[in-house]
Amino acid sequence: MGKNVLLGVCGGIACYKAVEVASRLRKKGVDVTVIMTKSATQFVTPLTFQEITGNPVSVDMWDKVQHWDVAHISLARKADFALIVPATANILGKLAAGIADDMLSTTLLAVTKAIYLAPSMNTNMYLNPIVQRNLKLLSSLPNYHIIKPASGHLACGVEGVGRLPEPAEIVEQLEKDQLAEESLAGKTVLVTAGGTREAIDPVRYIGNRSSGKMGYAIAAEAVRRGARTILVSGPVALAAPAGAEVSKIETAREMKELSERFFPQADITIMAAAVADYRVENPAPLKIKKEQEALLVHLVKNPDILAGLGKIKKEGQVLVGFAAETHDLLAFARQKLVKKNLDMIVANDVGRKDAGFNVDTNAANLISKDGKIEEIPLMSKSEMAKVILRRAEALLSK
């Protein structure tokens, strides 16, 4: 496969399963570099991992340097992705707080690629509100992915959640996410994300509730599949996906300009941004003072970016839009698909509390030009991004 993985091993009884994870990855042609915490060496020796991986094992920040560069930086640069097995409550807390006090935590803070965390601990520890808060925080970040623990008999003698999944299951998930062939290598994917803002005055604006999470997940997945990825983003509180070419905008007209500039280069364009339909005709040059009982603001229609791209779309290009609706979802989505000359539309019911804006999960109906409707159940936005890009790839291959 030619991939490099940084395997972090923390001090938990499930350490022995990390040995099998390393072995299975090696059998798939993955170059595995291991960093162990000092606690982990009480369960399994570094020599065990060294023999399995064929690489030196790092434990202490002050060990003899094995690489030409600063050790933790060179290991972080080398990794195509990182995997922590088992991910203890301790390492979860450190990562959530940005603490770097040993070789593993220091290296992980320098990793810009995907980091997979496989929590394993006592049930009460796992369900502790602080641990759950840390997991929620980490899962909200674009490069952190949580491998959910299994339920069953734990080493402490109790039954419950907190058991590390079997090594085969962990490697199977990595195969789906990271070890697949780069199916979009040589292709260009254009993604828009986030909401736009239209000024009322220098302080206030008209906006919407879009967090940009769906568009950013799509961009991250496009990078993972080997595509040159161009991301045009409205204002969001998200870290840019590593490897994407990011252009920041604020208004709908700015997004239109950049989208039309990059569109001719794109093989697949996915317009996930929530663009403001209207803007203030004459924004006030100075802050409007609160002196009137009522304020009248005259709105004018913004340009329809998606429809404009549909008009200039050439044969061989795939154009995907989103329909964020609160009622008559499928009817409105079908109209938009036809009217704007799309190849596929992602229809979201944003009235749902567990899908749409400002949440980490999504559910949708994918409607293609031939009228086929595919219902996608509730899943994480990163998983939804995989589904959307798989369907877009299929359209491109036609």
Side-chain angles (χ1 to χ4, degrees):
M1 298 287 186
K3 293 278 188 174
N4 300 301
V5 61
L6 173 62
L7 176 61
V9 183
C10 300
I13 192 63
C15 272
Y16 73 94
K17 289 187 178 181
V19 177
E20 187 179 344
V21 169
S23 177
R24 286 176 175 271
L25 288 171
R26 286 292 293 135
K27 289 175 182 177
K28 294 185 178 297
V30 179
D31 185 24
V32 181
T33 304
V34 176
I35 300 178
M36 302 178 70
T37 64
K38 288 184 178 179
S39 297
T41 63
Q42 300 298 309
F43 296 91
V44 181
T45 68
L47 182 60
T48 301
F49 285 104
Q50 183 173 312
E51 289 299 313
I52 287 174
T53 65
N55 286 322
V57 176
S58 300
V59 178
D60 197 296
M61 284 285 290
W62 315 112
D63 283 342
K64 183 179 179 181
V65 175
Q66 304 284 350
H67 306 269
W68 68 270
D69 204 348
V70 177
H72 70 280
I73 299 299
S74 65
L75 292 175
R77 285 176 177 166
K78 178 184 176 184
D80 290 305
F81 64 97
L83 169 66
I84 314 304
V85 178
T88 59
N90 185 53
I91 194 67
L92 296 176
K94 285 182 180 181
L95 292 174
I99 294 172
D101 64 353
D102 63 6
M103 186 64 177
L104 180 57
S105 57
T106 301
T107 303
L108 289 174
L109 289 188
V111 172
T112 59
K113 305 291 181 62
I115 299 175
Y116 290 81
L117 303 170
S120 175
M121 64 197 76
N122 167 267
T123 298
N124 291 340
M125 290 178 66
Y126 178 74
L127 296 177
N128 185 288
I130 296 173
V131 174
Q132 289 299 308
R133 178 199 65 189
N134 292 339
L135 284 167
K136 184 176 181 180
L137 187 154
L138 291 168
S139 65
S140 71
L141 302 176
N143 62 322
Y144 282 91
H145 306 273
I146 310 300
I147 300 175
K148 291 184 179 180
S151 296
H153 183 76
L154 304 180
C156 56
V158 303
E159 294 279 339
V161 67
R163 182 184 177 89
L164 189 74
E166 293 305 311
E169 296 172 7
I170 294 173
V171 174
E172 183 180 359
Q173 178 164 339
L174 295 176
E175 280 189 289
K176 292 178 181 177
D177 288 1
Q178 294 292 336
L179 304 181
E181 294 298 322
E182 294 188 335
S183 54
L184 287 173
K187 303 297 183 182
T188 297
V189 176
L190 169 62
V191 182
T192 64
T196 59
R197 294 176 178 178
E198 307 297 334
I200 297 172
D201 64 17
V203 177
R204 305 171 182 88
Y205 62 84
I206 296 172
N208 57 55
R209 300 179 189 276
S210 175
S211 64
K213 290 180 179 180
M214 190 69 253
Y216 272 58
I218 292 169
E221 179 64 16
V223 171
R224 191 188 71 80
R225 291 171 181 261
R228 176 198 174 199
T229 304
I230 303 170
L231 175 60
V232 179
S233 173
V236 298
L238 299 172
E245 302 170 24
V246 184
S247 295
K248 294 292 185 93
I249 58 87
E250 185 155 307
T251 69
R253 285 178 290 179
E254 290 170 347
M255 181 167 281
K256 176 180 184 292
E257 178 187 348
L258 288 183
S259 297
E260 290 179 349
R261 181 191 306 174
F262 293 127
F263 182 67
Q265 308 169 35
D267 298 285
I268 297 173
T269 297
I270 302 177
M271 304 293 283
V275 182
D277 293 326
Y278 295 88
R279 69 180 185 275
V280 178
E281 184 175 29
N282 296 302
L286 301 175
K287 179 183 175 182
I288 300 170
K289 304 305 291 182
K290 191 169 58 176
E291 296 172 346
Q292 305 172 50
E293 289 298 322
L295 176 65
L296 297 178
V297 178
H298 188 248
L299 303 179
V300 294
K301 202 168 187 179
N302 266 325
D304 190 325
I305 304 172
L306 189 55
L309 297 183
K311 290 178 181 178
I312 62 174
K313 179 165 70 84
K314 295 180 180 178
E315 186 175 352
Q317 286 185 301
V318 171
L319 181 58
V320 179
F322 274 68
E325 305 290 348
T326 57
H327 65 286
D328 295 333
L329 177 65
L330 296 181
F332 285 133
R334 285 194 190 96
Q335 291 174 15
K336 190 172 184 178
L337 174 76
V338 174
K339 184 179 179 181
K340 303 191 180 186
N341 191 27
L342 308 181
D343 298 286
M344 184 173 74
I345 193 161
V346 183
N348 284 142
D349 181 356
V350 293
R352 291 179 56 166
K353 291 184 179 180
D354 58 357
F357 295 147
N358 281 305
V359 292
D360 297 320
T361 53
N362 206 358
N365 287 277
L366 304 187
I367 308 175
S368 53
K369 186 179 285 188
D370 61 7
K372 181 181 176 182
I373 300 176
E374 181 180 2
E375 186 175 352
I376 309 300
L378 189 71
M379 59 181 65
S380 70
K381 287 185 174 176
S382 59
E383 290 298 318
M384 181 68 73
K386 294 185 180 80
V387 175
I388 292 169
L389 272 169
R390 277 199 296 268
R391 302 301 179 268
E393 280 183 35
L395 292 172
L396 185 65
S397 67
K398 291 179 180 180

